[in-house]
Amino acid sequence: MYDYCVIGGGIVGVATAHRLLSRHPGASLLLVEKAAALGTHQTGHNSGVIHSGIYYAPGSLKARLCREGARRTKEFAAAHDIPFQVCGKMLVATDSAEHARMLALYERSVTNGVDVELLDAAELRRREPRVTGVGALFVPDTGIIDYSRVTAALAAQVRAAGGTVVLGAEITAIDETGDAVTVSGPAGSWRARRLVVCAGLQADRLARLAGLRTQLRIVPFRGEYYQLPPARKDLVRTLIYPIPDPELPFLGVHLSPTIDGNLTVGPNAVLGLAREGYRKGSVDLRDVREILGFRGFHRVAAANVRTGVRELRNSLFKRGYLAECRRYCPELTLDDLLPREAGIRAQAVLRDGTLVHDFLLERTERSVHVLNAPSPAATSALPIAAHIVKELDG
């Protein structure tokens, strides 16, 4: 029997395993991952941004853990020779309505303790000559990194501390008794005194396997990216983001330099018809049935018809996607938008149609389930792990 079992080999699961062994030296630990490698889903399909915490509601777990996570991610990367760059982020307002939202966001960022500069149109143009807007917020501490490399470094430390990592092991049953939890699947069966489930896109299903009567479901949203040609990689100096609409759960299409020297555009947000299908047109009938049979999804869809139609149109027609980018970078052309693999976001939705925005944990006597860990989960992985372990240890 193991002291601890962690299901899920994304960055949050691996960070949790790392934290458990750091807090309990000598404990026996098993990390189980369904895929053939670690970090293959949300961890390996994102923009690679080290977020600052500017967007999130004051007092929320997101706001607190993101600030701490950004600092700790940079410290961990520096200690383990993982390349990262603090390039800063520019949030650009393109009209008067966005400018008003920008000012409100500035006030929120001050409340959250985020270092931010308020820029007028002239200063924006001076700093980013190829970007157009009526004003901007500049967040100097925002950075870029490869979270797959962070995950690999954490996993190496888990193994070095005596942890066991099992790949290619889907869990299809979870049985909790008075003194242990048994997890099993086609690859084998294991027992542990304590369990943490960090299953991301499968979080709701594993919670149900464990007997939790959760009212939420994971609804997958595809985030489709493009990559700009090498000749365009110096188009901007910083990350360029639109001013987010507080009514929507996603940040909008942005220009993102990556740590490997590329420049990406994206993501949009369209309903995914397969939780783990990254190719365009991927369909999983089980996933579709669950989405269509969930009352909460119908309520979300009804409340966001216009947005959903726009996102779908932009997914089907590259010109619509380009128009989103040209609002703040008008010189981009269709030829600049080269294919890049999509990502899939696990969005937790309640039965009443409420989108769960903050990190959400649920626990039993011997387990903790991470039911919602949206962006900035990668940035916040180390403090999220500490929070999970604190909950587990009671």
Side-chain angles (χ1 to χ4, degrees):
M1 182 189 297
Y2 290 92
D3 293 316
Y4 299 101
C5 176
V6 177
I7 300 175
I11 191 169
V12 174
V14 178
T16 299
H18 176 266
R19 177 67 178 183
L20 281 166
L21 291 175
S22 298
R23 181 161 177 158
H24 303 288
S28 57
L29 180 142
L30 171 71
L31 173 65
V32 183
E33 165 56 39
K34 180 178 70 171
L38 299 173
T40 57
H41 293 297
Q42 294 180 106
T43 300
H45 292 82
N46 59 53
S47 300
V49 177
I50 304 174
H51 289 284
S52 62
I54 187 172
Y55 306 107
Y56 312 121
S60 66
L61 274 175
K62 272 190 176 185
R64 177 168 61 84
L65 298 183
C66 186
R67 292 195 307 275
E68 182 183 352
R71 175 182 58 79
R72 293 184 60 185
T73 296
K74 294 168 188 174
E75 290 173 353
F76 184 87
H80 293 85
D81 297 321
I82 299 171
F84 72 97
Q85 180 183 347
V86 181
C87 57
K89 173 165 62 179
M90 202 76 74
L91 288 87
V92 179
T94 60
D95 57 31
S96 58
E98 289 185 355
H99 192 269
R101 295 208 304 268
M102 182 188 78
L103 295 178
L105 187 58
Y106 176 76
E107 295 301 324
R108 170 177 282 192
S109 68
V110 172
T111 301
N112 281 341
V114 177
D115 183 16
V116 61
E117 294 181 63
L118 187 60
L119 310 181
D120 61 17
E123 183 61 16
L124 166 63
R125 177 57 64 95
R126 188 187 72 79
R127 299 192 190 190
E128 288 287 359
R130 322 284 275 279
V131 173
T132 299
V134 298
L137 299 179
F138 178 62
V139 188
D141 290 338
T142 304
I144 51 177
I145 198 168
D146 181 348
Y147 284 111
S148 295
R149 293 192 62 172
V150 177
T151 303
L154 287 166
Q157 291 205 320
V158 168
R159 292 185 176 101
T164 300
V165 178
V166 176
L167 302 175
E170 181 179 6
I171 299 302
T172 56
I174 300 174
D175 181 31
E176 182 172 337
T177 60
D179 63 349
V181 184
T182 301
V183 301
S184 56
S189 178
W190 302 271
R191 297 181 75 222
R193 292 183 176 85
R194 301 282 180 181
L195 171 69
V196 178
V197 181
C198 303
L201 288 157
Q202 307 296 337
D204 57 335
R205 289 173 175 166
L206 268 73
R208 294 199 297 273
L209 283 181
L212 272 67
R213 296 186 176 182
T214 178
Q215 296 299 304
L216 63 75
R217 291 291 184 274
I218 297 298
V219 176
F221 284 89
R222 283 175 57 83
E224 296 169 336
Y225 292 86
Y226 290 98
Q227 184 166 302
L228 272 61
R232 289 286 207 175
K233 68 178 183 179
D234 296 323
L235 184 70
V236 294
R237 302 167 184 163
T238 62
L239 294 148
I240 306 296
Y241 275 58
I243 300 296
D245 185 338
E247 299 301 316
L248 302 177
F250 309 113
L251 297 179
V253 173
H254 43 268
L255 279 168
S256 301
T258 61
I259 198 63
D260 59 4
N262 291 310
L263 182 61
T264 65
V265 181
N268 63 350
V270 293
L271 178 66
L273 300 182
R275 293 195 187 195
E276 298 176 5
Y278 295 97
R279 295 180 60 181
K280 201 157 190 171
S282 295
V283 177
D284 183 296
L285 293 180
R286 179 192 179 192
D287 294 343
V288 172
R289 284 195 299 269
E290 286 198 6
I291 292 169
L292 296 181
F294 179 48
R295 182 182 303 172
F297 166 71
H298 292 281
R299 291 179 172 174
V300 170
N304 295 278
V305 172
R306 182 177 297 180
T307 300
V309 169
R310 185 187 72 230
E311 293 293 309
L312 179 60
R313 182 189 65 230
N314 292 346
S315 174
L316 296 173
F317 304 105
K318 193 187 288 188
R319 288 187 183 277
Y321 199 111
L322 177 66
E324 296 288 327
C325 310
R326 286 173 59 90
R327 293 178 61 206
Y328 53 78
C329 192
E331 69 180 75
L332 289 175
T333 69
L334 283 176
D335 291 338
D336 290 326
L337 302 185
L338 306 179
R340 185 178 176 93
E341 191 172 43
I344 300 177
R345 170 175 171 152
Q347 176 60 57
V349 181
L350 302 180
R351 283 178 60 85
D352 65 2
T354 301
L355 301 178
V356 182
H357 295 296
D358 208 356
F359 302 130
L360 178 63
L361 310 180
E362 193 164 330
R363 66 164 302 157
T364 68
E365 184 66 27
R366 293 195 166 272
S367 66
V368 170
H369 287 253
V370 181
L371 295 180
N372 197 53
S375 179
T379 299
S380 309
L382 292 172
I384 290 175
H387 182 70
I388 292 168
V389 171
K390 184 178 180 180
E391 284 288 311
L392 186 68
D393 287 347

